[in-house]
Amino acid sequence: MQELLELVTSTPVPLQLLIAFGIALALATVIVMVLFSVLRASARKTQSFTLEAFSKRGRTSVFWLLVMLLTYWLWSLVGASLPEGADSFFLPGALHLPRTLLYIFGGVFLVQVTRVAGDTIRYRYNADDFNNLRERKILTQLQYIQRIASIIIFVVVVAFIFLQFDGMKKLGTGILSTAG
């Protein structure tokens, strides 16, 4: 194991980043496969519509969110393991990529959570009844709430992305202050 770590640390930094990304992909795949098989089994056992809807809608967004989280963490470890004065002029800029994608996939995950909540409410309020005015009213309000939540999530994600870059911090701060 020690020889493998020495081999990885002796490779060029871009190759170390690719290896770290591959490790993040493999770990996220295993975690998501185990997590969502447990979620699906517990949804069947408890007959929970919400768990079933989340296991259907949330798998991809959780996978990519986890991949970017692990990638950012592993790339930070690669940057911390470099000796002082090492030629890593591109590493701080490279860390913006997984952080930006982490924000994007975090936003996608939150939108999926709002959709799961919407599916659960739609399941509870069936609009197929004869006297369904109340149910249709609730479902229409739900559509507006989901759209507003998606727009708010989008604005906050864009502001967080802008806050990463020195030249765009004022714009990101302005977007966040007007979104509030």
Side-chain angles (χ1 to χ4, degrees):
M1 185 69 179
Q2 185 66 26
E3 293 174 3
L4 180 64
L5 288 175
E6 290 176 10
L7 178 65
V8 169
T9 56
S10 67
T11 60
V13 175
L15 192 57
Q16 287 181 21
L17 296 179
L18 284 175
I19 291 170
F21 181 68
I23 291 170
L25 276 172
L27 281 173
T29 301
V30 169
I31 291 170
V32 166
M33 286 177 63
V34 169
L35 177 70
F36 278 88
S37 62
V38 169
L39 273 177
R40 213 175 286 122
S42 64
R44 281 189 216 120
K45 186 174 182 176
T46 61
Q47 296 179 351
S48 171
F49 181 82
T50 305
L51 281 178
E52 183 181 329
F54 183 74
S55 66
K56 286 180 183 175
R57 284 192 180 263
R59 184 182 190 116
T60 305
S61 59
V62 168
F63 172 74
W64 286 110
L65 181 66
L66 194 57
V67 166
M68 288 304 124
L69 185 66
L70 290 171
T71 300
Y72 182 73
W73 179 65
L74 290 173
W75 283 16
S76 297
L77 288 177
V78 167
S81 69
L82 292 176
E84 286 294 322
D87 188 22
S88 64
F89 65 93
F90 61 90
L91 190 59
L95 283 175
H96 286 302
L97 177 65
R99 189 181 315 144
T100 301
L101 292 173
L102 182 65
Y103 292 147
I104 291 170
F105 289 123
V108 169
F109 172 74
L110 291 175
V111 168
Q112 292 298 331
V113 168
T114 60
R115 288 184 178 170
V116 168
D119 289 345
T120 303
I121 293 171
R122 275 188 210 93
Y123 177 76
R124 181 172 171 93
Y125 294 103
N126 190 2
D128 294 336
D129 296 335
F130 178 70
N131 190 8
N132 61 0
L133 183 61
R134 179 176 167 261
E135 286 85 3
R136 288 187 309 167
K137 179 181 174 185
I138 290 172
L139 293 178
T140 303
Q141 290 172 352
L142 174 69
Q143 287 177 344
Y144 285 119
I145 290 170
Q146 280 183 310
R147 289 179 186 155
I148 290 170
S150 297
I151 290 169
I152 290 171
I153 290 168
F154 174 76
V155 168
V156 170
V157 166
V158 168
F160 279 172
I161 291 170
F162 285 158
L163 285 173
Q164 294 183 87
F165 305 104
D166 292 331
M168 304 293 269
K169 279 189 180 182
K170 286 185 180 181
L171 180 61
T173 306
I175 289 174
L176 276 180
S177 63
T178 59

